Amino acid sequence: PQDARRRGAAPDADEAMLSDEQREAEDAATRLQAISRGHRDRQAVERTQTLKKEREQAASLLQTRQRGRIACREVDERREQTNAATSIGRIYRGKQTRRARIDRGPRSCERDDVAQGLHTLGRTADLRHAYLGCTLSSLQLTDVDVLQSYEHLQALDVFANNLTSLSSLEHLPYLTRLNASSNKLSQFDVEIPRNESGDNAWTLGSKHAGSNLIEVDLSDNEIEVLGAQETHRRLEKFVLDNNRMYEITGLANLSRLKVLSMRNNDLTFVSGLETLSALVDLDVGGNSLTRLGEGLENLVNLRRLGVAGNQITTLDGLEPLQALDELDARDNCIERVREVEYLERLPLFSSLLLQGNPCSDLPFYRRRVVFRLQQLRTLDGIAVTSDDKIKAINLHGGDESDLKHRQETFRKHFGNALDFEDPLPPFVEPERSPFDVDLCDLPGLEMYLRTIFEAADTSGDGEISVGEAIKAVRNDDDFAELLGFGQRTKVRQADGTREQLTEMLQSLDTDGDNKVSWQEFREAFLGPLEDEENEREAENEYLDDYAAYLKVVFDRVDVDGSGSLSYGELVKALKEDPEFAEGSGFKDSGLSRVEFADRMLDALDWDWSDEIEWEEFRDAALDSAMEALEQQKMEDHVRDIFERVDQSGDGAISVAEAVKACRNDDDFAEAMGFDGRVKIREGWTKEQLIESLAEMDTDGDCSISWDEFRKALLGPWDDPEPPLPPDANVEALETYLRGIFERVDTSGDGAISVSEAASALRDDDEFAEVLGVSDVDDVFAAIDALDEDG
């Protein structure tokens, strides 16, 4: 039993022993944890204290620095206030002193004035110390004779006084800079003598070689004529602005002059600068010049030219100025952009000012100028970048533009399935180059040709025969040169000169009578200039009238007066305005009003604004009118050829008439496929003519009618007629005016009273526009102007 109890008690003892060890381990772990927590807590406290101490130190440092900054700022402010107060006091005292000096009125210069104006202490030419500058401005001085004893002065400022003479300055031989602007000088009478032998030698301790003036400012005076400046040979800068000079004189001996300014005078031309080859800067702005070039030929070193504020219309005459770098031509009367082509041959030119000229308001003005002057760096004060030059080139097209690249890109993506259409067509230059001169504009050219013609016409019958032409080529150099020979030449069959003369005479003989009349001779070299000019004027007049008519139609369709036609206005006008519907092509289009208005909007709305502006409407209509005019001209030309060939007048060209016309009429011969007049013989010429006639003769009657001839040359397109000019639409315009009249005539008595006109003027914009007034107060004047019977 005891053993059993012993065996049964052993597990309990082991368990008790294990639990003691576990408790010890747990106690040890608990102590370690407590120690660890205490260590971490101490570290956290230490970190907190350290951070707090660092923040306090940083805050203290910031406060110290801020207090230092504030203190320094306060010191600087006090110093600035002190300096400002000192300066204000000095300025005030100076103003008081100057005011006291000025308030004394017009007077002579005194030594006290000179003493207060002296400045710049330095060494003189003989190495003595002296004041080298003096300022005597705004003192109302009438003379400066007292300066005669200050012979060492080198700079003198007598601005804004009442001086009428500077002759006393001849005793200042070392003077290099003089400002005598804003006085009452009528001449520059400073004559500093040169060294001469004998008793008249100029001596101030040493001998002198005349004037040493380098810069002189005489602006804002009363100088009309500048005397000869023979002694100031070292002068480099001369300012004569705001005087009364009408001619440039007295500058012939200033060979070292580099800067000359004569702005705001009364100059009408430039002269007297022939000897100023060293001139670099010339400014003659604000005068009455009308052209350039005159008097500037010898200024080969001129780099800047100022001609702003004149009446210049052309830039012609600047070609000799090969060193020119900058041109200021603002506020002139230059109307054409292509005037800048006169500057293309100036290799150093880089800056141009053209603001204020009519040409600066033209479309694409800047790119058109840059295109012609690729060397420009600045235009109107704005830098010319490489992008500007590229855009200018692309605008005008050509081999250097991006057209070829765009074509290649189009082919790369679309191949040959589609035809390339340039959405950015090249800009068409509306101006003629200034170098393209009509021969008829040259003075005396027609008289010169007339003299040659009469010398060749030995018979005096008003025509040059073949025999007379042969003699004239042999004896007259001028006639020989006109006919393509280098000089007078004996006409022979062997050397080909006879054939050359015959071909030339045939080209002159337009009527085929084997003689050259004066009219043929003149037109060959000058052309029918008067007829062309008259025709051009007639076309321009027609287009102006047609544009005025279009404006009436546009305003009628533009119901809301917004200056553009909306989709709804187009549909409404196609329905209610028969004239607009017919003129726009809707009547024969076979489309509904909605479809036609949609297509019309797509075709004319170039800026994608979903509305048709007046410019878009006008340009499209004028383009159609011009195309119709050109087609009409072509048909008239073909009709003229047909009537010349149809000599029988039966309305058809026979084979015999065609053979004769090929021999005498260049135009008909070219229509038949020949290069010019040709004799029809057996062989290829006969076959060519028969083939051409067979193609034209569609009805097979062995003759060419007008319809067949026209269809062969112009094609089977419908005959377009130019739009009717406004005078042919009087009926429509009268209907339009009648509607306005009846709308205003509310009483229905057939007359518009003043009260009815005043009432309609407030509500009816069309009536106000027709009447030409915008205010009710003006209605009486308008009614008086229209009321012819009183």
Side-chain angles (χ1 to χ4, degrees):
Q2 295 178 352
D3 292 338
R5 285 193 298 271
R6 195 180 294 115
R7 285 193 301 269
D12 295 336
D14 292 338
E15 291 176 0
M17 186 179 297
L18 289 175
S19 97
D20 293 339
E21 291 177 356
Q22 288 176 352
R23 281 194 298 272
E24 291 177 358
E26 290 176 356
D27 294 340
T30 302
R31 288 194 296 272
L32 288 175
Q33 290 176 356
I35 293 172
S36 177
R37 282 195 299 272
H39 183 66
R40 285 197 300 272
D41 293 341
R42 286 193 298 275
Q43 286 181 343
V45 172
E46 291 176 357
R47 281 197 302 271
T48 302
Q49 293 177 351
T50 302
L51 291 174
K52 182 178 180 182
K53 187 182 296 184
E54 289 178 353
R55 284 195 293 269
E56 291 176 352
Q57 291 176 353
S60 177
L61 181 61
L62 289 175
Q63 292 175 357
T64 303
R65 290 179 178 177
Q66 184 66 20
R67 287 193 294 270
R69 290 194 193 98
I70 295 173
C72 292
R73 189 181 300 113
E74 291 176 352
V75 172
D76 292 339
E77 290 177 354
R78 286 195 295 272
R79 186 183 297 113
E80 290 177 358
Q81 292 173 355
T82 303
N83 293 336
T86 304
S87 300
I88 291 173
R90 187 184 302 114
I91 292 172
Y92 178 77
R93 288 191 297 274
K95 284 183 177 180
Q96 293 297 323
T97 303
R98 285 193 297 274
R99 186 177 295 112
R101 294 166 62 191
I102 293 173
D103 290 343
R104 296 170 60 184
R107 58 190 176 83
S108 299
C109 183
E110 301 175 355
R111 288 189 176 275
D112 291 340
D113 300 323
V114 178
Q116 294 182 12
L118 290 173
H119 59 83
T120 313
L121 183 65
R123 288 184 179 273
T124 64
D126 53 0
L127 301 182
R128 291 184 296 173
H129 285 88
Y131 285 103
L132 306 180
C134 183
T135 301
L136 300 171
S137 60
S138 304
L139 297 178
Q140 301 188 31
L141 303 178
T142 58
D143 67 75
V144 287
D145 295 342
V146 70
L147 294 176
Q148 295 181 12
S149 59
Y150 296 85
E151 65 272 8
H152 294 295
L153 284 178
Q154 298 182 13
L156 177 61
D157 186 351
V158 290
F159 165 78
N161 285 288
N162 298 325
L163 301 178
T164 58
S165 175
L166 299 174
S167 58
S168 59
L169 301 185
E170 65 182 10
H171 299 281
L172 306 180
Y174 301 110
L175 193 64
T176 59
R177 287 170 175 81
L178 172 63
N179 181 8
S181 58
S182 299
N183 281 278
K184 298 181 180 180
L185 301 173
S186 60
Q187 58 182 344
F188 185 44
D189 54 356
V190 179
E191 297 290 339
I192 300 178
R194 295 172 58 86
N195 179 44
E196 299 177 358
S197 59
D199 297 335
N200 295 326
W202 180 268
T203 58
L204 286 174
S206 61
K207 299 184 181 296
H208 302 281
S211 172
N212 287 296
L213 279 172
I214 297 177
E215 296 182 7
V216 175
D217 187 351
L218 298 179
S219 57
D220 297 291
N221 279 283
E222 301 174 359
I223 301 174
E224 294 184 0
V225 178
L226 188 68
Q229 305 299 312
E230 298 179 353
T231 62
H232 309 296
R233 299 176 182 272
R234 295 177 177 85
L235 194 62
E236 296 183 0
K237 182 178 180 180
F238 206 1
V239 180
L240 295 166
D241 297 342
N242 300 303
N243 280 279
R244 303 174 182 176
M245 301 182 65
Y246 56 85
E247 185 179 2
I248 302 177
T249 59
L251 306 179
N253 296 318
L254 306 182
S255 58
R256 297 187 182 182
L257 192 63
K258 295 182 179 179
V259 179
L260 176 61
S261 180
M262 302 185 70
R263 294 181 56 85
N264 301 321
N265 280 273
D266 298 326
L267 301 176
T268 57
F269 60 93
V270 177
S271 63
L273 306 179
E274 293 78 9
T275 60
L276 305 184
S277 58
L279 198 63
V280 175
D281 189 335
L282 174 63
D283 196 338
V284 289
N287 287 280
S288 301
L289 305 178
T290 57
R291 60 181 294 109
L292 300 173
E294 298 176 356
L296 303 178
E297 298 84 359
N298 298 327
L299 305 183
V300 294
N301 293 309
L302 191 67
R303 298 192 60 187
R304 181 189 178 277
L305 176 60
V307 293
N310 282 279
Q311 302 172 14
I312 295 171
T313 58
T314 178
L315 298 179
D316 187 14
L318 299 179
E319 292 85 351
L321 308 181
Q322 290 295 300
L324 190 64
D325 175 63
E326 179 182 346
L327 175 62
D328 183 359
R330 293 172 294 178
D331 301 317
N332 278 280
C333 303
I334 301 173
E335 298 181 351
R336 303 195 307 161
V337 174
R338 298 194 69 171
E339 289 291 331
V340 300
E341 293 183 10
Y342 288 115
L343 308 175
E344 285 182 334
R345 302 177 184 177
L346 302 181
L348 303 179
F349 191 74
S350 64
S351 179
L352 178 62
L353 296 173
L354 282 179
Q355 290 172 323
N357 285 278
C359 65
S360 62
D361 298 327
L362 295 176
F364 303 108
Y365 150 75
R366 183 174 179 85
R367 294 184 183 179
R368 290 164 66 183
V369 174
V370 173
F371 175 73
R372 288 165 175 83
L373 302 178
Q374 288 285 305
Q375 73 272 29
L376 273 186
R377 295 183 179 178
T378 59
L379 175 60
D380 294 334
I382 302 175
V384 178
T385 63
S386 56
D387 289 341
D388 294 333
K389 297 180 180 180
I390 293 174
K391 291 178 180 178
I393 294 174
N394 292 338
L395 174 67
H396 288 77
D399 296 336
E400 298 181 357
S401 67
D402 64 343
L403 177 60
K404 184 177 180 181
H405 174 70
R406 288 189 282 119
Q407 289 176 339
E408 293 176 352
T409 304
F410 183 87
R411 294 300 177 204
K412 179 179 179 181
H413 290 85
F414 299 101
N416 296 323
L418 298 175
D419 294 332
F420 175 77
E421 294 184 3
D422 189 5
L424 301 174
F427 175 73
V428 179
E429 182 59 63
E431 300 175 359
R432 189 178 64 180
S433 172
F435 298 105
D436 296 339
V437 181
D438 286 337
L439 294 178
C440 63
D441 294 336
L442 300 178
L445 181 57
E446 186 167 352
M447 183 61 69
Y448 168 72
L449 291 174
R450 185 72 184 184
T451 303
I452 297 175
F453 179 85
E454 292 179 353
D457 180 21
T458 55
S459 64
D461 59 355
E463 294 180 330
I464 300 177
S465 62
V466 177
E468 290 173 337
I470 293 174
K471 292 180 181 179
V473 170
R474 184 171 65 245
N475 301 322
D476 192 333
D477 286 329
D478 294 333
F479 186 82
E481 290 180 1
L482 287 176
L483 267 65
F485 300 93
Q487 56 186 356
R488 61 179 71 179
T489 305
K490 286 186 177 182
V491 178
R492 297 186 177 91
Q493 187 72 33
D495 57 3
T497 54
R498 178 60 182 267
E499 183 179 357
Q500 179 181 352
L501 178 61
T502 302
E503 293 178 356
M504 188 61 187
L505 292 177
Q506 287 179 352
S507 65
L508 299 178
D509 181 21
T510 56
D511 57 6
D513 62 351
N514 295 324
K515 292 183 179 180
V516 179
S517 64
W518 160 244
Q519 186 68 22
E520 294 170 337
F521 190 78
R522 181 193 178 281
E523 290 185 358
F525 298 102
L526 297 183
L529 299 174
E530 295 182 359
D531 295 340
E532 292 180 1
E533 186 65 25
N534 294 335
E535 183 179 357
R536 190 179 302 113
E537 290 179 359
E539 289 181 3
N540 293 336
E541 183 178 358
Y542 164 77
L543 292 176
D544 292 340
D545 294 340
Y546 186 58
Y549 163 71
L550 290 173
K551 183 62 175 175
V552 174
V553 176
F554 182 89
D555 293 341
R556 191 168 67 240
V557 178
D558 183 18
V559 179
D560 59 0
S562 62
S564 60
L565 304 182
S566 64
Y567 176 78
E569 289 173 334
L570 291 176
V571 175
K572 183 178 179 181
L574 292 174
K575 178 181 179 181
E576 301 177 357
D577 194 334
E579 183 182 359
F580 178 75
E582 182 178 357
S584 62
F586 167 70
K587 185 177 180 181
D588 300 326
S589 66
L591 301 174
S592 65
R593 286 190 295 271
V594 174
E595 293 174 343
F596 188 86
D598 186 65
R599 294 191 182 185
M600 186 176 181
L601 191 63
D602 289 340
L604 302 186
D605 182 21
W606 299 334
D607 57 358
W608 300 96
S609 62
D610 292 331
E611 291 187 345
I612 301 176
E613 283 78 18
W614 157 243
E615 290 78 11
E616 297 170 336
F617 182 85
R618 178 199 60 195
D619 294 345
L622 290 181
D623 288 344
S624 299
M626 286 298 297
E627 182 179 359
L629 284 174
E630 292 299 327
Q631 293 176 353
Q632 188 64 42
K633 286 182 184 179
M634 292 173 60
E635 182 165 351
D636 292 342
H637 177 65
V638 173
R639 185 74 183 186
D640 183 60
I641 297 174
F642 181 85
E643 292 178 352
R644 287 203 309 266
V645 178
D646 181 22
Q647 296 183 353
S648 63
D650 59 354
I653 299 175
S654 63
V655 177
E657 290 173 335
V659 172
K660 184 177 180 180
C662 285
R663 184 171 65 248
N664 301 322
D665 195 317
D666 284 322
D667 294 330
F668 183 78
E670 291 177 1
M672 295 296 105
F674 302 103
D675 294 334
R677 302 182 190 182
V678 63
K679 289 184 178 182
I680 304 300
R681 298 186 176 91
E682 290 292 333
W684 74 273
T685 56
K686 182 179 179 180
E687 294 175 357
Q688 174 67 30
L689 178 60
I690 293 174
E691 183 178 352
S692 299
L693 293 176
E695 291 178 356
M696 293 182 178
D697 185 19
T698 56
D699 58 5
D701 61 351
C702 296
S703 62
I704 309 300
S705 64
W706 158 243
D707 292 335
E708 293 171 337
F709 188 76
R710 176 191 172 282
K711 182 177 179 181
L713 296 185
L714 301 181
W717 38 265
D718 296 334
D719 297 344
E721 295 183 358
L724 294 177
D727 56 1
N729 294 277
V730 174
E731 183 178 354
L733 182 58
E734 185 173 352
T735 302
Y736 170 68
L737 294 175
R738 169 63 70 177
I740 298 177
F741 182 88
E742 293 177 351
R743 195 164 63 238
V744 176
D745 180 21
T746 55
S747 63
D749 58 356
I752 298 176
S753 64
V754 176
S755 59
E756 290 173 337
S759 176
L761 189 60
R762 298 187 185 94
D763 304 323
D764 197 322
D765 293 336
E766 289 183 326
F767 178 70
E769 183 177 358
V770 171
L771 205 59
V773 298
S774 58
D775 191 355
V776 177
D777 296 336
D778 299 333
V779 70
F780 295 97
I783 292 296
D784 289 340
L786 297 178
D787 185 16
E788 295 182 355
D789 57 5

